[in-house]
Amino acid sequence: GEDVEQSLFLSVREGDSSVINCTYTDSSSTYLYWYKQEPGAGLQLLTYIFSNMDMKQDQRLTVLLNKKDKHLSLRIADTQTGDSAIYFCAVPLESGGSYIPTFGRGTSLIVHP
Amino acid sequence: DSGVTQTPKHLITATGQRVTLRCSPRSGDLSVYWYQQSLDQGLQFLIQYYNGEERAKGNILERFSAQQFPDLHSELNLSSLELGDSALYFCASSSGLADTDTQYFGPGTRLTVL
């Protein structure tokens, strides 16, 4: 299997909550990240969580981390059409003294009016 | 705006050709990463440079090479291009090598090989 896995699609109605899940094989990194990619654009850092936390809230975003199960999730409350994008989780993996963020394939979030 | 710039934005070329993609990192960042994004492979790490030296290598083909110059900008050279090399190529930069050094991405170069 892949080092970082995400489901490919999520469809929600405007105003509902969205939950995007990510599982990873291993990480000794201090941080784990969520990035957002809008159509035709680069990846934009959305939020991150310390590996010694199990939850982080940032306005409409809530990140949950279950280190035991190696599971990371991103919850978007009151999802808006402007939240439609691809969301990537990124887990830094150690490689020869560097930490290289390894990305999932991305979850396409589609928000219906 | 992440502060990372990439040129050109779009590139259309033919099979067998060679192209050079350019990246300028955020001011003060020493580390540059190159990624390839395609529909079937997702976002694949290619190579990392830190302060002019290669630090980590990912799934980079032998036909591809990169370098980082003294002013810290980086170039990715793609040669003997094939149809399958058509993809978005992203550059990212970070301040250093630590796992706490966040990566910031450029807008990407879309390469189309005809």
Side-chain angles (χ1 to χ4, degrees), chain A residues 28-31 33 35 37 40-45 48 50 86 88 92 95-105, chain B residues 9 33 35 37 39-43 45 48 55-57 88 90 97-108:
Chain A
S28 57
S29 174
T30 305
Y31 293 165
Y33 299 87
Y35 284 82
Q37 184 181 28
L43 275 74
Q44 169 198 348
L45 178 66
Y48 61 89
F50 277 99
I86 304 176
F88 292 89
S95 171
S98 287
Y99 277 87
I100 306 299
T102 301
F103 289 81
R105 282 181 166 267
Chain B
K9 199 172 164 91
Y33 310 74
Y35 289 85
Q37 185 181 35
L39 281 173
D40 57 339
Q41 295 288 326
L43 196 64
F45 167 68
Q48 179 203 16
R55 284 303 302 243
K57 231 172 180 175
L88 264 171
F90 287 108
L97 298 171
D99 58 337
T100 51
D101 292 330
T102 302
Q103 282 188 333
Y104 294 89
F105 279 76

Side-chain angles (χ1 to χ4, degrees), chain A residues 10-94:
Chain A
L10 176 65
S11 178
V12 301
R13 193 170 290 184
E14 193 174 17
D16 288 350
S17 290
S18 308
V19 179
I20 300 170
N21 294 302
C22 171
T23 56
Y24 56 95
T25 53
D26 198 15
S27 179
S28 57
S29 174
T30 305
Y31 293 165
L32 295 99
Y33 299 87
W34 283 101
Y35 284 82
K36 176 182 179 182
Q37 184 181 28
E38 293 180 350
L43 275 74
Q44 169 198 348
L45 178 66
L46 203 55
T47 188
Y48 61 89
I49 186 167
F50 277 99
S51 59
N52 62 359
M53 294 171 66
D54 50 20
M55 185 177 96
K56 176 183 177 181
Q57 187 132 13
D58 184 359
Q59 300 182 325
R60 291 191 298 121
L61 304 178
T62 304
V63 180
L64 296 177
L65 174 61
N66 181 329
K67 277 192 84 172
K68 176 175 161 289
D69 292 342
K70 297 185 173 64
H71 183 265
L72 183 69
S73 69
L74 174 70
R75 178 176 179 270
I76 306 172
D78 187 25
T79 314
Q80 303 297 306
T81 53
D83 294 324
S84 293
I86 304 176
Y87 291 81
F88 292 89
C89 72
V91 177
L93 298 179
E94 198 273 337

Side-chain angles (χ1 to χ4, degrees), chain B:
Chain B
D1 184 1
S2 67
V4 179
T5 60
Q6 288 186 249
T7 55
K9 199 172 164 91
H10 300 278
L11 201 46
I12 301 174
T13 189
T15 53
Q17 295 297 304
R18 174 190 165 94
V19 296
T20 297
L21 313 184
R22 185 189 164 103
C23 167
S24 292
R26 289 189 328 152
S27 177
D29 282 358
L30 298 177
S31 197
V32 169
Y33 310 74
W34 285 98
Y35 289 85
Q36 179 193 58
Q37 185 181 35
S38 59
L39 281 173
D40 57 339
Q41 295 288 326
L43 196 64
Q44 297 283 313
F45 167 68
L46 296 177
I47 197 163
Q48 179 203 16
Y49 278 82
Y50 175 77
N51 204 20
E53 295 197 4
E54 181 186 306
R55 284 303 302 243
K57 231 172 180 175
N59 300 321
I60 188 165
L61 299 171
E62 283 193 17
R63 300 184 285 109
F64 296 0
S65 64
Q67 53 185 327
Q68 186 181 27
F69 294 86
D71 67 353
L72 301 175
H73 91 271
S74 178
E75 291 181 357
L76 179 68
N77 301 297
L78 315 175
S79 60
S80 302
L81 284 166
E82 300 175 1
L83 296 177
D85 297 328
S86 295
L88 264 171
Y89 290 84
F90 287 108
C91 164
S93 74
S94 68
S95 55
L97 298 171
D99 58 337
T100 51
D101 292 330
T102 302
Q103 282 188 333
Y104 294 89
F105 279 76
T109 293
R110 182 173 291 281
L111 173 66
T112 303
V113 182
L114 300 175

